[in-house]
């Protein structure tokens, strides 16, 4: 790992925050950060390994989850899709015998149709995402991890499955043997992400409590991104998606078991070894926190209400400031 440069001046404590995230879990903390930080200070970088072509449309599930969440349009029950959604399209499609395992609400459909049209007209996913974010009034910047296609493929007990077939159609049932990110090796990281990581005004990088294997690893698989993170002048902090050995939602703990990884905070810390300067974990894991080889912040990490999201965002930012002072001061 390359040597880390640290800023020691107090001004370094303010500035831009980059957050890496997937969908539902990531979006919760993204919302907290968005509410706490001054407008324009947050750059959210989303996994696009889950993107796929469906019914002729380009669907970007994680980007959309974060976008709807920040725009106040998210469905509070599911965490994905839009609130107050109607389903006439889906019913009509089913009546025609069309594929109905992936649910697309009527309002949501407009996002995919318009994204697909713009991609076809030659716009980049970055430009389209920025346009949607502006139209929906987002205060934070939202970026796909790359404009080049990356497709997460899950090698399972039932064969190799495109991500959405594993996740949605088969509800994460098959045992995972290996996860691949097809195309990642030749997908340039979003240039805006690389310049944010190299910029003098970077205050903190947050790895949201997204699924490390399915949502964060695709981002880390982009060429040069690990090095850019390791070299960046600001602290890098991860928030654990596990609470007392269980995922709050989704297959993270199940996948860890299937891959022979213990479902512990130590395993999460190890997963991000060489990249993070600190780990934020839940009070339920306070005992384990004492034995971790990196700085930790112990707090409530379960985000049920908006207040929970905001409180956790504040804790993460405070922890970042402490780490920055520590590292900077040691130099
Ligand atoms: P997906 O792309 O929709 O699957 O969402 P993410 O990968 O961003 O988030 C899934 C992860 O978020 C799971 O591993 C959950 O354990 C985690 N998660 C969801 N809600 C919470 C929460 O309130 N607190 C914490 N710490 N993790 C959460
Ligand atoms: Ca996802």
């Amino acid at each position: 790992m390359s040597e880390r440069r640290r800023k020691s001046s107090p001004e370094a404590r303010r500035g831009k925050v980059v957050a890496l995230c997937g969908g539902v879990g990531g979006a919760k903390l993204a919302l907290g950060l968005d509410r706490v930080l001054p407008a324009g200070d947050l750059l959210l970088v989303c996994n696009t390994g889950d993107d796929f072509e469906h019914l002729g449309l380009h669907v970007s599930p994680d980007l959309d989850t974060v976008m709807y969440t920040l725009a106040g349009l998210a469905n509070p029950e599911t965490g994905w899709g839009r609130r107050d959604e109607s389903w006439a399209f889906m019913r009509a499609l089913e009546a025609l015998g069309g594929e109905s395992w992936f649910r697309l609400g009527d309002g949501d459909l407009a996002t995919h149709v318009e994204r697909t049209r713009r991609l076809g007209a030659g716009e980049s996913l970055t430009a389209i995402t920025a346009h949607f974010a502006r139209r929906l009034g987002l205060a934070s910047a939202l970026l796909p991890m790359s404009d080049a296609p990356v497709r997460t493929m899950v090698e399972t007990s039932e064969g190799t499955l495109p991500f959405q077939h594993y996740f949605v159609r088969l509800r994460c049932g098959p045992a995972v043997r290996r996860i691949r990110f097809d195309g990642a090796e030749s997908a340039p990281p979003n240039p805006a992400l690389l310049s944010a990581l190299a910029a003098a005004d970077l205050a903190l990088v947050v790895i949201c409590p997204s699924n490390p294997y399915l949502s964060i690893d695709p981002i880390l698989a982009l060429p040069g991104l690990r090095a850019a993170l390791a070299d960046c002048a600001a602290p890098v902090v991860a928030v654990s998606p596990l609470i007392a050995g269980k995922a709050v939602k989704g297959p993270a703990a199940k996948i860890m078991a299937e891959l022979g990884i213990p479902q512990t905070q130590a395993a999460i810390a190890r997963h991000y070894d060489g990249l993070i300067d600190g780990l934020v974990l839940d009070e339920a894991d306070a005992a384990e926190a004492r034995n971790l080889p990196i700085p930790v912040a112990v707090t409530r990490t379960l985000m049920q209400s908006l207040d929970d999201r905001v409180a956790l965002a504040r804790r993460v930012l405070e922890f970042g400031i402490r780490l920055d002072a520590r590292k900077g001061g040691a130099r």
Side-chain angles (χ1 to χ4, degrees):
M1 195 184 95
S2 53
E3 203 208 330
R4 289 175 169 226
R5 283 165 281 109
R6 297 287 159 190
K7 286 178 272 180
S8 53
S9 61
E11 309 84 84
R13 297 171 187 190
R14 280 184 290 275
K16 296 274 162 55
V17 174
V18 168
L20 309 183
C21 67
V24 176
K28 288 182 174 181
L29 183 60
L31 179 61
L33 290 166
D34 178 74
R35 293 299 182 265
V36 165
L37 288 164
D41 274 7
L42 178 62
L43 181 68
L44 288 160
V45 180
C46 265
N47 169 42
T48 53
D50 299 1
D51 287 23
F52 73 132
E53 296 287 322
H54 188 59
L55 307 173
L57 302 173
H58 182 107
V59 182
S60 297
D62 288 355
L63 276 172
D64 291 347
T65 293
V66 174
M67 179 174 82
Y68 293 151
T69 300
L70 295 193
L73 296 173
N75 179 329
E77 270 90 56
T78 54
W80 56 268
R82 296 174 63 124
R83 65 162 71 238
D84 308 321
E85 187 61 283
S86 61
W87 299 92
F89 167 77
M90 218 61 225
R91 277 194 303 275
L93 182 67
E94 273 175 290
L96 295 174
E99 271 186 79
S100 59
W101 57 273
F102 194 87
R103 314 294 295 168
L104 295 173
D106 298 336
D108 190 26
L109 187 60
T111 304
H112 312 307
V113 169
E114 180 62 0
R115 173 187 293 124
T116 307
R117 183 191 71 75
R118 285 177 175 263
L119 283 170
E123 278 184 62
S124 68
L125 187 57
T126 296
I128 297 164
T129 304
H131 171 80
F132 287 177
R134 206 161 45 242
R135 293 289 305 190
L136 297 180
L138 266 59
S140 300
L142 181 61
L143 284 185
M145 65 185 194
S146 176
D147 277 318
V150 176
R151 294 293 176 262
T152 297
M153 302 293 290
V154 189
E155 296 179 10
T156 75
S157 50
E158 295 173 31
T160 299
L161 300 165
F163 175 78
Q164 297 298 346
H165 286 256
Y166 163 76
F167 198 76
V168 178
R169 194 168 61 80
L170 299 175
R171 295 165 204 261
C172 311
V176 173
R177 308 251 189 268
R178 184 172 164 246
I179 302 168
R180 307 197 309 252
F181 309 111
D182 286 3
E185 63 291 340
S186 55
N190 198 304
L193 167 59
L194 292 180
S195 51
L197 292 177
D201 67 349
L202 180 70
L204 180 66
V205 179
V206 180
I207 299 179
C208 288
S210 291
N211 186 313
Y213 308 93
L214 290 172
S215 296
I216 303 297
D217 278 359
I219 307 178
L220 300 178
L222 303 173
L225 198 59
R226 280 180 172 272
L229 279 172
D231 285 347
C232 84
V236 180
V237 166
V239 179
S240 178
L242 294 187
I243 300 180
K246 296 196 167 60
V248 177
K249 192 170 186 270
K254 178 175 181 280
I255 290 173
M256 291 173 88
E258 289 161 356
L259 295 176
I261 302 167
Q263 297 100 72
T264 60
Q265 301 298 348
I268 300 291
R270 220 167 13 250
H271 188 75
Y272 293 132
D273 187 32
L275 291 178
I276 60 172
D277 299 294
L279 181 67
V280 179
L281 48 79
D282 196 80
E283 290 153 349
D285 297 308
E288 203 199 334
R290 285 192 280 278
N291 303 320
L292 292 182
I294 55 163
V296 296
V298 178
T299 188
R300 174 183 161 90
T301 68
L302 183 63
M303 294 172 280
Q304 289 172 315
S305 63
L306 178 60
D307 283 351
D308 291 338
R309 289 157 171 76
V310 165
L312 182 57
R314 286 194 202 285
R315 281 287 292 171
V316 169
L317 295 172
E318 283 161 17
F319 186 43
I321 290 169
R322 262 199 289 138
L323 289 173
D324 198 38
R326 223 178 86 116
K327 299 272 181 162
R331 225 147 263 266

